[in-house]
Amino acid sequence: MEDFSVLIGGKAGDGINRAGFVIGRILSRMGYRIYMYYDYPSLIRGGHNFAIVRASRHTGIASHHFTVDCILALDQATLLRHAGRQTPATIAIFNSDSVKAGAPAAGLAVPLETITKEEDGISIMANSCLIGAFCRATGIPWDIAATVLGEEMPRETEKNLSIARRGFDAVQERYILPKREAPEVPLITGNEAISLGLLQAGLDAYVSYPMTPSSGILHFLAEVAGETRLKVIHPESEIAVILMAQGFAFAGSRTAVGTSGGGFCLMTEGVSMAGMTEVPVTIVVSQRPGPSTGVPTYTAQGDLAFVLSAGQGEFPRFVFAPADPAQAFEWAGRALNLSWKYQVPSFILVDKTLSEGTFSFDPEEPEWTGEDPIPCWDGTHPYRRYAESEGGVSPICHVPTAGAVVKVNSYAHDEDGITTEDRDLIARLVEKRMQKSPGMLAEVEALHPVGISGDPTASTAILCWGSTAGTCREVADIIGLRVVQPVVLSPFPARALRDALAGVSRIISVEDNAEGQLASLAGAHGIDISAQILRYDGRPHALEELRDRVLEVGA
């Protein structure tokens, strides 16, 4: 079997995300590469949660299958809601203490709550019992299950193992999932990959007000702050976030912030100030469906046009849209470095699918950027914060530096940072800032800003960006298409994109928004789209769903 998928479902508060991750770890220990999709409503308790864990022999998987090989049901709703995902071969293991009428005749009934109580456990430990039953039903050896459970449950370990063993013994083997010789690799979320990428590039401070789906970055960095020099701040609002971040950067700290669409709305005036003051800051925007509150725990790609133009006035910016954890790691580091090199805002534009998805991650796959040095003031007096220079980038100096007065100003200013309304000075400083654009474009062109995968000789290409690229790559491998994915969206690498599309006669764009925002951007650069596949219901495409839609539009 090339692929194996398991769905685990229950109510919010049942620990579904955690249980799915443990199952992913067990399957990873068996030598498979993992992708996990987690679906949940914006509720503290109640509501239906489920996770689909996909294990594959292939590397680089980043999408889920619609149908599953095994369903693990903590409640009746899981079996009812996901009946359409079952095939005649699907194994259903359900909690017989909760699932009564309508339970599938071919399922494996396990009294999860009864066993948990008999072992003096608490209700959430029923997950351990279900995981044990899953391992026995799929032929996973007990020693592998017990080792991973012990690693992932450092508290009440023996009790969890006892409950899991009762589940293991309660069912019969229905299928043998063969163990592979491939080594286990870590599982990581997109938010964790972004965090690690920022850290490897010398992140000094992270400032954020929690907002799904970016909050995982704040939580992760807060957990590791004690092991690093990192400062992690949670101020009272997103307005405070962006202004505090610029205060850190003014004093010489490499700083990033994270938010989603609603929070980014509040930040936009501060973003514009960074454009005028030329204070570097890196901003992670993890998209969810809007407008306004939208559906906070689901996914979308509706903020591309917003991020490309956010803030009043004109100023250059970097916008990077990674597709998977390896790209997120690489481009997060580059975003921080390039923001400081050119003294402009940089954006890491992701979405819920990448931010909260769990992926196999090979640390040897991404390119490590490290912390790039930046040109600093050489001590020549007097220091002029906005001194004109070739390429528009002034030598930087931070407070406090002996012998230098460092002034930044959001008002139109002269080279010293002194307010001015002189028309000649205004024009000269506008031209100074905009002089950075050619250098920024040359910089990203040297970094391979457009990815090509699938069949590079195919005359039909799928054009995509961000997390949709993962599913597009697998569809392209099935049908025999080329996939073209611009990772850099500002400055727009039009020449590299045209080169990647050389020999293509038909372009199908795939986006998770209603207007085809990348298609419009490409069209503005003379690249015509033949057909569009747009999704805007908050859910990512399953592999089979996208394959069928691509075939419908005439691949």
Side-chain angles (χ1 to χ4, degrees), residues 40 64 114 157 191 236 361 407 409 427 456 475 490:
Y40 62 104
H64 65 281
T114 300
T157 305
N191 279 339
E236 72 274 19
F361 179 73
K407 294 181 180 178
N409 194 340
V475 168
S490 179

Coordinates of all heavy atoms in Angstrom, one line a residue, residues 40 64 114 157 191 236 361 407 409 427 456 475 490:
Y40 N -11.5 22.0 13.0 CA -12.2 22.2 14.3 C -13.0 23.6 14.2 O -12.5 24.5 13.6 CB -11.3 22.3 15.5 CG -10.2 23.3 15.4 CD1 -10.3 24.5 16.2 CD2 -9.1 23.2 14.5 CE1 -9.3 25.5 16.1 CE2 -8.2 24.2 14.5 CZ -8.3 25.3 15.3 OH -7.3 26.3 15.2
H64 N -4.4 15.7 2.0 CA -5.1 14.5 2.6 C -5.9 13.8 1.5 O -6.3 14.5 0.5 CB -5.9 14.9 3.8 CG -7.1 15.8 3.5 ND1 -6.9 17.1 3.3 CD2 -8.4 15.5 3.3 CE1 -8.1 17.7 3.0 NE2 -9.0 16.7 3.1
T114 N -15.4 2.8 29.9 CA -15.3 1.8 31.0 C -13.9 1.4 31.3 O -13.5 1.3 32.5 CB -16.1 0.6 30.5 OG1 -17.5 1.0 30.3 CG2 -16.1 -0.5 31.6
T157 N 2.4 8.6 32.7 CA 2.8 7.7 31.6 C 2.3 6.2 31.8 O 1.8 5.6 30.9 CB 4.3 7.7 31.4 OG1 4.8 9.1 31.2 CG2 4.8 6.9 30.2
N191 N 3.7 26.6 11.5 CA 4.0 27.7 12.5 C 5.3 27.4 13.2 O 6.1 28.3 13.4 CB 2.9 27.8 13.5 CG 1.7 28.6 13.0 OD1 1.8 29.4 12.1 ND2 0.6 28.5 13.7
E236 N -1.2 44.7 24.4 CA -2.6 44.7 24.6 C -3.4 44.7 23.3 O -4.6 44.5 23.3 CB -3.0 46.0 25.4 CG -2.8 47.3 24.6 CD -1.4 47.9 24.8 OE1 -0.5 47.1 25.1 OE2 -1.2 49.1 24.5
F361 N 9.3 16.5 8.4 CA 10.2 17.5 8.2 C 11.6 17.0 8.3 O 12.0 16.5 9.3 CB 10.0 18.7 9.2 CG 11.0 19.8 9.0 CD1 10.8 20.7 8.0 CD2 12.0 20.0 9.9 CE1 11.7 21.8 7.8 CE2 12.9 21.1 9.8 CZ 12.7 22.0 8.7
K407 N 17.8 59.7 14.3 CA 16.4 60.2 14.2 C 15.6 59.5 13.1 O 16.1 59.4 12.0 CB 16.4 61.7 14.0 CG 17.0 62.6 15.1 CD 16.9 64.1 14.7 CE 17.5 64.9 15.8 NZ 17.5 66.4 15.5
N409 N 11.6 59.3 11.5 CA 10.5 60.3 11.4 C 9.4 59.7 10.4 O 9.7 59.4 9.3 CB 11.0 61.6 10.9 CG 10.0 62.7 11.1 OD1 8.8 62.5 11.3 ND2 10.5 64.0 11.1
A427 N 10.6 65.0 -2.8 CA 10.8 64.2 -4.0 C 12.1 63.3 -3.9 O 12.1 62.1 -4.3 CB 10.8 65.0 -5.2
P456 N 8.4 18.9 -16.0 CA 8.8 20.2 -16.5 C 8.7 20.4 -18.0 O 8.8 21.6 -18.5 CB 10.3 20.3 -16.1 CG 10.7 18.8 -16.0 CD 9.5 18.1 -15.6
V475 N -1.2 16.2 -7.6 CA -2.2 16.1 -8.8 C -1.4 16.1 -10.1 O -1.6 15.3 -11.0 CB -3.2 17.2 -8.7 CG1 -4.0 17.3 -10.0 CG2 -4.2 17.0 -7.6
S490 N 6.3 39.8 -4.0 CA 6.7 41.2 -4.1 C 8.2 41.3 -3.6 O 8.4 40.8 -2.5 CB 5.8 42.1 -3.3 OG 6.3 43.4 -3.3

